């Protein structure tokens, strides 16, 4: 009887391991429903903007000659081409299909599809960029003071370490 209970427990707990894998078609539908291609495009644009911001920060407000400006513009354009070549939906879709197939069951994909097709799911997709942008701003406001506190703490720690002989 003890072995029968153990066998039944093992079978019941292990049933999720035998759950049906999702079909490529259902995963493709989920990727469309979650607007993953649009997200990849936004990531491309974000990386291109980050490159431009980095260049502007490194210039620290210096005025460039027309030739210098052309060099910067060419680099920005070239960086954009590289980013779009390396981060593009056509190349990433297969990796996403594989990732989702390894991660989710068919039942989970079906549930996610139902959610993302619902008014609440559509609202989440529509409003999440605003939430992300605003939350990044909140975090950014806190980073400056945090960095200053950490610098002060580090300086004090270095002083304390030097004094402790």
């Amino acid at each position: 009887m003890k072995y029968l209970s153990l066998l039944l427990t093992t079978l019941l707990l292990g049933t999720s391991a035998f759950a049906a894998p999702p079909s490529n078609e259902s995963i493709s539908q989920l990727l469309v429903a979650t607007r993953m291609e649009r997200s990849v495009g936004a990531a491309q644009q974000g990386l291109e903007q980050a490159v431009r911001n980095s260049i502007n920060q490194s210039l620290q407000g210096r005025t460039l000659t027309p030739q210098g400006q052309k060099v910067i513009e060419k680099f920005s354009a070239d960086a954009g081409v590289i980013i779009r070549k390396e981060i593009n939906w056509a190349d990433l879709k297969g990796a996403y299909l594989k990732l989702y197939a390894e991660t989710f069951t068919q039942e989970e994909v079906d549930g996610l599809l139902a959610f993302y097709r619902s008014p609440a799911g559509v609202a989440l997709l529509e409003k999440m960029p605003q939430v992300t942008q605003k939350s990044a701003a909140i975090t950014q406001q806190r980073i400056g003071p945090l960095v200053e506190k950490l610098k002060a703490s580090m300086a004090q720690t270095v002083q304390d370490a030097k004094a402790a002989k």
Side-chain angles (χ1 to χ4, degrees):
M1 185 68 172
K2 185 161 85 173
Y3 294 111
L4 182 59
S5 296
L6 183 60
L7 179 62
L8 286 174
T9 302
T10 302
L11 288 174
L12 289 174
L13 292 175
T15 55
S16 64
F18 300 110
S23 68
N24 275 348
E25 177 59 32
S26 65
I27 296 171
S28 292
Q29 290 175 19
L30 181 58
L31 294 175
V32 169
T34 58
R35 303 170 187 171
M36 193 58 67
E37 185 173 3
R38 185 187 304 175
S39 293
V40 170
Q44 286 173 331
Q45 291 174 354
L47 286 169
E48 290 181 47
Q49 185 61 48
V51 167
R52 288 189 294 274
N53 291 345
S54 180
I55 291 169
N56 290 335
Q57 283 180 340
S58 66
L59 292 173
Q60 298 176 345
R62 286 181 280 197
T63 304
L64 297 174
T65 64
Q67 294 83 2
Q69 186 61 39
K70 285 181 182 178
V71 169
I72 296 297
E73 289 170 4
K74 181 178 181 337
F75 173 79
S76 293
D78 291 347
V81 168
I82 292 168
I83 289 167
R84 286 186 298 278
K85 182 178 183 227
E86 296 298 321
I87 308 292
N88 67 78
W89 184 241
D91 290 343
L92 290 174
K93 184 177 180 182
Y96 275 89
L97 286 167
K98 184 175 187 254
L99 171 64
Y100 278 50
E102 292 170 351
T103 306
F104 298 107
T105 65
Q106 184 63 55
E107 183 179 354
E108 291 166 336
V109 169
D110 292 342
L112 289 166
L113 273 168
F115 171 72
Y116 282 111
R117 289 175 174 164
S118 73
V122 171
L124 176 70
L125 290 169
E126 289 294 323
K127 295 177 181 179
M128 192 49 73
Q130 296 167 331
V131 170
T132 301
Q133 184 178 22
K134 289 177 180 178
S135 65
I138 291 168
T139 302
Q140 191 64 36
Q141 289 172 349
R142 293 175 182 243
I143 286 178
L146 170 65
V147 168
E148 292 306 315
K149 287 178 185 176
L150 290 172
K151 282 182 183 178
S153 178
M154 189 183 314
Q156 184 63 51
T157 301
V158 169
Q159 276 185 342
D160 293 347
K162 287 179 180 179
K165 291 186 176 189

